[in-house]
Amino acid sequence: MTWLAIFIIAVGLFFLVVGSIGILRLPDVFSRAHALSLTDSLGAAFVLAGLAVYEGFTVNFLRIVVVLLLVYLMNPVISHATLRAAYRSGLRPSVREEK
Amino acid sequence: MNSFLVFVLFTLTALMLVYLYRVVRGPSVFDRVLGLNGISTKAIVLLVVLGSMFERVDMFVDISTGYALLNLVGALAIAKFLEERGAARE
Amino acid sequence: MRFLSAIALFALWMVLSASYNVAHVALGAVVAIIVVWLSPKAAPNARRFSLTAAIAYVPWLFIRVLKSGFHVCGLILKPGLPIKPELIKHKTELSSDGELVVLGNSITLTPGTITVEVAAGELIVHAIDPSSQQDLVSGALDRKVGQLFTAKESG
């Protein structure tokens, strides 16, 4: 059980690291939001799921699942609100011409 | 398992520094908001990891839930404000 | 339906609360009932959320998120950064608020596509490269979300 938890958390850490690399490398705010959604919906979710597995089937499992659901419901709303503000204030994504 | 959790804690902190770079550096104000959002997602996860380490998940889950809700309200308020003001000045 | 939401709120209280003596449990029950009593009733012609479809929808969405997550990982880690971001207009025949919320959230949750602007019948979506638009353009997501809500029967 512990090894399963460690494996799931490691997968989550991988996504978190890739998301951070993305937020450094990607060129504009719209693309960076993709890296952020990678971090949120996969990285954080896997780490929390791994911790839930580590806790075993107790009431703590359900508590961590509540946090997980909260993250899942909340983060799309925040990304969307931020990007909508960016879009309405006139920012447009940079488009590369190379084919 | 405990040493692995310590490793997770340090990794999360290092990744928060990466996001902090984006917040400080970020060309537009929206990059800064996104960076802050990423930091607070990691803070939520970090609190739960901390709780798992101290075997007090019941307590730390409450803290991270409160943090998540505050973060939601704060980020929505900032987005609303920026939407009305526009990003004329950066 | 309101009875069910009171039960759900009470269950949430029980999960988050750490003490199970009579006073705390009774307080939870009272608060759940008051919250449901104060919250507005659903509009009479609102469409109903179908629980069985939702249970089938979540794993489907998660597999989709996982697939496009690996795809976006590949894009970010490749040396040349081969992304082709563009804004696409996505026409949809879903119109009620609930459907639009679920559709927009699902699009944003999936790495590779993000909802930028929502209007009735049209969404502006930012996609990071052409292959991550596939599911959206083919309308698979729309159909799945449409199945989530059924026309309201009695009750």
Side-chain angles (χ1 to χ4, degrees):
Chain A
M1 211 57 174
T2 311
W3 287 106
L4 181 65
I6 287 181
F7 175 70
I8 296 176
I9 295 177
V11 172
L13 278 184
F14 166 73
F15 280 117
L16 286 176
V17 170
V18 174
S20 305
I21 294 173
I23 214 144
L24 286 180
R25 283 190 77 191
L26 290 170
D28 67 339
V29 61
F30 291 92
S31 322
R32 278 182 203 131
H34 291 293
L36 195 67
S37 109
L38 192 70
T39 313
D40 292 339
S41 60
L42 284 168
F46 269 110
V47 174
L48 287 175
L51 287 173
V53 169
Y54 173 62
E55 289 297 326
F57 203 74
T58 57
V59 72
N60 283 340
F61 178 88
L62 294 175
R63 288 192 179 116
I64 296 180
V65 168
V66 169
V67 177
L68 181 60
L69 285 181
L70 203 61
V71 169
Y72 247 83
L73 289 178
M74 211 182 65
N75 277 309
V77 177
I78 297 177
S79 321
H80 165 64
T82 313
L83 283 193
R84 195 177 69 162
Y87 184 77
R88 288 199 177 160
S89 59
L91 276 179
R92 290 294 178 273
S94 62
V95 179
R96 285 201 194 171
E97 276 83 44
E98 55 181 321
K99 293 237 162 146
Chain B
M1 186 68 187
N2 234 341
S3 52
F4 180 69
L5 286 182
V6 173
F7 168 71
V8 173
L9 280 183
F10 274 104
T11 315
L12 282 174
T13 318
L15 294 180
M16 278 163 119
L17 287 178
V18 173
Y19 278 75
L20 198 61
Y21 169 80
R22 184 49 70 198
V23 174
V24 174
R25 197 51 214 293
S28 79
V29 66
F30 303 106
D31 289 300
R32 294 172 213 265
V33 177
L34 277 186
L36 275 182
N37 181 23
I39 287 181
S40 49
T41 307
K42 273 171 204 56
I44 295 164
V45 177
L46 198 134
L47 279 169
V48 180
V49 174
L50 217 57
S52 209
M53 226 171 92
F54 292 136
E55 295 180 353
R56 284 304 305 271
V57 175
D58 49 345
M59 197 172 82
F60 279 88
V61 157
D62 289 353
I63 304 174
S64 68
T65 313
Y67 193 87
L69 292 175
L70 278 179
N71 169 42
L72 171 68
V73 176
L76 287 184
I78 292 174
K80 205 77 193 160
F81 170 71
L82 289 176
E83 194 176 309
E84 275 166 20
R85 195 202 62 164
R89 285 163 295 139
E90 307 235 308
Chain C
M1 199 59 207
R2 309 191 65 166
F3 180 69
L4 276 183
S5 35
I7 297 281
L9 282 175
F10 182 63
L12 184 66
W13 173 286
M14 290 302 280
V15 166
L16 285 180
S17 145
S19 49
Y20 298 109
N21 52 26
V22 180
H24 282 90
V25 172
L27 187 64
V30 171
V31 169
I33 289 170
I34 289 179
V35 166
V36 171
W37 180 56
L38 285 179
S39 60
K41 279 206 177 90
N45 56 354
R47 309 186 70 189
R48 272 194 63 177
F49 190 70
S50 123
L51 199 63
T52 47
I55 290 171
Y57 178 70
V58 170
W60 182 80
L61 181 70
F62 187 74
I63 288 171
R64 195 167 162 269
V65 166
L66 204 62
K67 261 198 298 199
S68 54
F70 278 113
H71 178 68
V72 174
C73 273
L75 285 182
I76 290 176
L77 290 179
K78 263 185 205 139
L81 206 62
I83 59 168
K84 272 169 99 184
E86 58 177 327
L87 287 177
I88 51 173
K89 290 205 164 90
H90 177 61
K91 294 252 191 312
T92 172
E93 57 274 14
L94 307 176
S95 57
S96 77
D97 284 353
E99 288 167 329
L100 282 178
V101 167
V102 176
L103 180 65
N105 264 2
S106 308
I107 291 173
T108 311
L109 211 49
T110 314
T113 47
I114 287 186
T115 321
V116 176
E117 183 79 79
V118 184
E122 192 182 77
L123 276 75
I124 300 178
V125 176
H126 183 262
I128 198 166
D129 82 327
S131 76
S132 53
Q133 307 172 8
Q134 290 296 318
D135 264 356
L136 192 60
V137 175
S138 68
L141 190 58
D142 282 58
R143 254 178 286 120
K144 283 274 181 183
V145 175
Q147 287 164 8
L148 275 181
F149 291 85
T150 51
K152 181 169 181 167
E153 325 101 51
S154 58

